[in-house]
Amino acid sequence: MPDPNEKPSQPVADSGLGEEFEQCATCGATLPNDEWCPIVTETDAEGELVIRSFCDEACKNAWTKQSGDP
């Protein structure tokens, strides 16, 4: 069991979250950083992973419908 007082071997980033985690991909609302938000993952044209966050399921569903994903 890990020691809760032990510091991580890798430094923890103090910088802000990326834009994909700060604003809803559909409506642009600011996302709370202390609550779970729905996400969609996809791969862009260069093969990089893209994570899109949404303020609620309705915005996620609207984005999914608009993007043509099933």
Side-chain angles (χ1 to χ4, degrees), residues 30-59:
T30 300
L31 301 177
N33 61 5
D34 60 345
E35 294 179 24
W36 177 87
C37 294
I39 63 166
V40 168
T41 60
E42 61 183 341
T43 306
D44 68 12
E46 290 81 39
E48 298 291 322
L49 178 65
V50 177
I51 302 171
R52 301 191 193 282
S53 299
F54 304 90
C55 59
D56 58 24
E57 287 292 328
C59 272

Side-chain angles (χ1 to χ4, degrees), residues 10-29:
Q10 297 284 329
V12 177
D14 287 334
S15 61
L17 297 172
E19 188 173 312
E20 64 270 17
F21 299 112
E22 293 175 348
Q23 294 184 320
C24 177
T26 302
C27 70

